Amino acid sequence: MHRKSFLLFLVLVFAAAISYAQPGQQRKLPPAHHAPNREFDMLNVSLSFKFNMQKKELFGTAVEKIVPLREHYDTLHLDAVDMTIDKVLMNNKELGYRYDGETLSIGLGRNYGLKDTLTYTIVYSTFPKKGIFFVEPDSAYPNRTPQVWSQSEMEDARYWFPCHDYPDDFMTSSVTATVPENWVVISNGLLEKVTTDRKDKTKTFHWVESKTHVIYLISIVAGEFSVVRDHYGNIPIYYYVAPEYAKYAKLDFSHTPDILRFYSDVTHYPYPWQKLALSAVSDFTFGGMENVSAITLTDQTMHGIDAEPQVSTTDLVSHETAHQWFGDLLTCRSWANAWLNEGFATYFEALYGEHAFGEDHFNYEMYRDHEEVVGADKMERRPTVYNRYYSTVDLFGPDIYQRGASILHMLRGIVGKDLFFKAIQHYVHEFQHQNVDSHDFIDAVEEATGYDLGWFFNEWLYKGGHPIFDVSYSYDAGSHRLTMNVEQTQRVDSLTPVYKMPVDIYIVTPSQKITKKVWVDSLSNTYTFEVAQKPLMVNFDEGDYLLKELDFKKSVAELAYQIKNDPDAAGRVWAAQQLGREKGNEAVAPLISGLKDNTFWGVRLECARALSGFTGDSVEAALKAAAMDKDPRVQAAAIQGLANFKSKGLGKLLENLYKTRRNYFVRAAAIQSLVKVEGRKAKPMVENALKQDSYNQVIRSAGLASLAEIDSAEAYKVAVKFSRYGEPHSLRLQGISEMVRLGPGNEETINLLKKYASDPYIWARMMAINSLGTVGDQSVIPLLQQREKIENDGRLKAAARQAIDRIEKRDNG
């Protein structure tokens, strides 16, 4: 499952200040969760469906085959929420049952044992609150394409078919669905047959997945879709998209065959399933979901060339496809070990980026992953393997995604590339089509490498936090000795240890390049190296393997050398950021040089951002030149930096950039900077931007933010208009955000937020709930308590809980 905020509208949602406990701050721990007892081994699940779209009702038949795991087994218990049970059959005889709305208890009529195989049938119907979602046109969105799609991870299969709803059992499956004749159905495995009923004007699709997998990976997508075909060797690949997106499918999914090839090569395990389908659906509640051989994606990832490279479907597809091995072929036994799914998919997503786009791309990706983990840790500290949560989805954040990827990267740094991939290959082959926990992975790594790594995994899986290093060095020209002092300054407690790690020290002199490995294993560490000449560059943790915070004070001259000569992109990016924090103008020249000459776009982008904090003609000239950079990401950063200048002709340049550039994000940056430079004179261009459709409405959103700079009263009115149900989703979120920013105490704002807290669109509800926690008072707490109680999505429950906490803390001083 993909959670990265690659979509602008999700960035807006989570920008609403969600509050977490600070490290060390007293807070109530969520309840601990353990795997439920499993009474049987599920061998097969065969599901058949019909849908009533108008009523959002599902009619289902579940035929399930099990082997008891108990002697004298006479009562079967299944997870099944809010269903109407019509009948339960076994061997053509009806069975008695009890049902309390959450658990279906079936009396089997007699005792069965460990060698018996039972097949039963449940006929039922439901108006599902979760698990299955219905998308339909309405008066506000009359052109919306009708669709039905499922999302069962983590424990939502129980909302659309009776089952043991936990990821600790592997089975085969089939899905049969009858739909209108102009629809298609996509599910797991191979399409065995399609039958047509011309009288009823329906088609029935029958899909069979003959390879074993866990319960939450069963899926269905149905609706009016165009299909674009591709292949990897003899593996068929299908891209299912709404007809209006068909023109983008080949571009957006172009890397898919190569992704399959790359993962098959690095794991030494061929793609595990019989086909791969990518289905882009409307209103999906995540970025993507790795259902076995049938990945579901948000249709917000579909885009044309004018949104690239800021929007890339490749990262999303490579993440979900990595799950076809890590998460599907091998699946975590419990949610406490979910990093084995998400950390692996995040790291292999980065590895594919290295394969496709180069080493610099990979290093920058890992650097940003480290930054995200550090940021999340400042809000809440917890171990990677963790079983405390209110809703299972609470676990699915940077602690398992980016932190999990960082753990794998550090492991690779310790054992080396060759042994790392040997360990991965051993792990995949040893546990194919099985459940795994962290101990299984540790055993596989130690078996493959011969290393005892308990110390490493204990620090990073079962502890929280990360090292904070204070590094300094001195050079004695007389003795030709370099002395480095390394202090660990993180607060050490029962959760956060003193870290023990091997670290590479990289020293460059006019005549030498020296790499020395040292062990950091205490709070205070001192190392001495023989170095013949005064160093030009000294790096701590060359290769940037360690998840860490680093305080390493260097002179501007050293940083200038590093930004130009460090072989690691992460080191050059770090140098650019450090130069951006300098107070004097000494830092300007190396940043301008980096912006102009560095071969990697990420370094040029960071130089542009750093330069935005400086003034002077040379800075403005450099940013103007960078507005013509070959990479639109750098162009946009440079244009944003120009907002701080007022020179003659700059407004005309920005207006021209807005009018002539095709890239949506560059145009959005241009209109926002134009307003900063020209003020009210830019209003005609702002009004133009407010009418411009673009990917995810980034230009209209920028127009609204720009209008707020010059006419807050009018901008508030436009924000209210944009926030209304019926406007494009991403524009609504921008409208709500600006409405709250411009009128936080406005009665209309509060009333609209109360209304949007029950909006049909999940992210409008999320933003409204978050915003009420920011601008609301005690009077909105009953509403927030109600939302926490009735919301079905754990993320919205958490948002309501946190909003209440913020109000109470604010009112209590």
Side-chain angles (χ1 to χ4, degrees), residues 31-89:
H33 291 261
H34 304 281
N37 292 325
R38 183 162 60 93
E39 302 175 352
F40 51 80
D41 180 18
M42 182 76 76
L43 303 181
N44 179 264
V45 176
S46 294
L47 304 171
S48 299
F49 300 112
K50 291 183 178 180
F51 308 102
N52 184 322
M53 291 295 292
Q54 286 71 36
K55 294 183 178 181
K56 298 186 177 181
E57 185 175 12
L58 175 152
F59 301 92
T61 300
V63 181
E64 300 177 348
K65 183 185 291 187
I66 67 168
V67 174
L69 295 176
R70 303 286 184 273
E71 294 280 10
H72 312 297
Y73 190 63
D74 63 355
T75 305
L76 168 69
H77 301 94
L78 297 170
D79 299 309
V81 178
D82 293 338
M83 296 180 182
T84 299
I85 308 300
D86 182 28
K87 57 186 173 181
V88 181
L89 303 168

Side-chain angles (χ1 to χ4, degrees), residues 205-250:
F205 293 74
H206 182 58
W207 291 86
V208 176
E209 180 50 78
S210 59
K211 296 187 177 184
T212 59
H213 55 83
V214 299
I215 199 78
Y216 72 80
L217 296 171
I218 296 174
S219 71
I220 185 171
V221 170
E224 297 178 42
F225 290 97
S226 296
V227 58
V228 177
R229 291 170 172 80
D230 207 339
H231 68 92
Y232 159 61
N234 62 353
I235 301 293
I237 302 173
Y238 306 96
Y239 311 133
Y240 294 93
V241 297
E244 62 265 31
Y245 295 130
K247 59 187 177 183
Y248 301 137
K250 271 290 190 180

Side-chain angles (χ1 to χ4, degrees), residues 716-717 720 724 739 743 745-753:
Y716 181 83
K717 293 177 184 178
V720 168
R724 289 173 181 152
M739 179 182 74
N746 190 311
E747 184 178 354
E748 183 179 17
T749 298
I750 300 298
N751 288 336
L752 284 172
L753 290 176

Side-chain angles (χ1 to χ4, degrees), residues 5 15 128 170 194 200 220 292 304 327 508 564 597 634 639 648 726 728 734:
S5 53
F170 274 68
V194 181
D200 290 344
I220 185 171
V292 165
V508 177
K564 183 177 182 180
D597 297 328
V634 180
I639 291 167
K648 184 179 179 180
Q734 181 69 43

Side-chain angles (χ1 to χ4, degrees), residues 118-191:
L118 313 180
T119 301
Y120 54 86
T121 299
I122 304 169
V123 181
Y124 63 98
S125 62
T126 183
F127 298 90
K129 295 178 181 177
K130 298 172 73 175
I132 283 276
F133 296 81
F134 297 82
V135 178
E136 276 201 291
D138 58 21
S139 58
Y141 298 97
N143 297 320
R144 181 186 281 156
T145 304
Q147 295 174 357
V148 176
W149 47 263
S150 66
Q151 171 57 33
S152 293
E153 193 181 20
M154 282 53 71
E155 298 175 15
D156 292 349
R158 67 186 71 194
Y159 288 86
W160 60 294
F161 62 93
C163 59
H164 170 72
D165 195 9
Y166 201 75
D168 57 354
D169 195 9
F170 274 68
M171 69 219 67
T172 56
S173 65
S174 67
V175 171
T176 300
T178 300
V179 296
E181 62 184 351
N182 60 331
W183 283 30
V184 296
V185 175
I186 307 102
S187 188
N188 318 100
L190 294 175
L191 181 61

Side-chain angles (χ1 to χ4, degrees), residues 614-629:
F614 294 91
T615 58
D617 293 344
S618 63
V619 175
E620 182 180 359
L623 291 172
K624 285 179 177 178
M628 312 301 167
D629 191 276

